[in-house]
Amino acid sequence: GGSFTASQSLVMTDDIPSAAIYYTIDGTTPTTSSTLYTSPVQVLFNETVKAIAVVSGVSSSVRTATFTVYDKQVQVTLCASTITYPASTLITISLLPGHNPAHAPTGTVQLFLDGTPVATLNLSGSGHGYAKSFYELSKVNAGTHSLYALYSGDSRNLPGASAAVKLNVLPAPVRLHAA
């Protein structure tokens, strides 16, 4: 057992080569009516595997292994553009789950501008396994800035960070008026 970021192939053996191994993956106690082990078992999600070995009608004690399989590293992306001060830009932070779309990320994302936190955003999940959050960034000084986001993680998705995205803010145009 243990915690993993991808599915696992579980191999079961017994000290007695002729033993028949019966197992369950739902946490119930195995019996000789349970699934007979014949090849490695794919552990895809959080599962408790229990197994017994049977030789000549005598069962061993139950062995238990608990697996926590987190979805792949959550990907955080930012969409930003070149803007002119004091205009604003809408930033979209998207988080996609790994191999199981039923596990939409939940929790919060913290947005950073030049290494300084500017917002903590709650995620809005969908029924399709992804989550988004939006933030309108405004009144950023002229220059090139770095934006990135940190995802807090939840019980099924590991924390993650986006790559830095550059935001170019152009100075306000100078307007001349004749007097």
Side-chain angles (χ1 to χ4, degrees):
S3 295
F4 304 93
T5 58
S7 63
Q8 298 295 302
S9 182
L10 175 62
V11 176
M12 294 183 242
T13 60
D14 188 74
D15 291 338
I16 301 172
S18 64
I21 298 173
Y22 296 91
Y23 69 95
T24 62
I25 59 170
D26 61 1
T28 60
T29 301
T31 67
T32 55
S33 298
S34 300
T35 305
L36 175 64
Y37 176 80
T38 57
S39 63
V41 176
Q42 289 301 113
V43 179
L44 301 175
F45 310 109
N46 290 356
E47 295 173 339
T48 298
V49 179
K50 292 187 176 186
I52 57 171
V54 179
V55 177
S56 300
V58 178
S59 298
S60 68
S61 60
V62 176
R63 299 291 185 188
T64 303
T66 301
F67 292 84
T68 301
V69 180
Y70 291 98
D71 283 332
K72 293 179 185 173
Q73 186 75 25
V74 174
Q75 299 173 1
V76 181
T77 57
L78 303 175
C79 299
S81 61
T82 298
I83 61 172
T84 301
Y85 182 88
S88 62
T89 184
L90 183 64
I91 298 169
T92 302
I93 303 166
S94 302
L95 289 91
L96 304 173
H99 61 271
N100 187 349
H103 301 146
T106 59
T108 60
V109 173
Q110 193 168 25
L111 181 64
F112 289 80
L113 176 69
D114 298 328
T116 301
V118 293
T120 299
L121 310 166
N122 290 319
L123 292 171
S124 174
S126 78
H128 301 291
Y130 64 89
K132 285 188 176 185
S133 193
F134 301 95
Y135 183 74
E136 184 148 353
L137 185 65
S138 63
K139 297 189 179 179
V140 177
N141 291 333
T144 300
H145 301 278
S146 176
L147 289 163
Y148 66 93
L150 294 178
Y151 169 58
S152 62
D154 62 24
S155 65
R156 296 298 295 239
N157 297 286
L158 293 174
S162 71
V165 174
K166 297 293 180 192
L167 173 64
N168 294 314
V169 180
L170 303 176
V174 176
R175 293 200 166 95
L176 301 175
H177 296 280

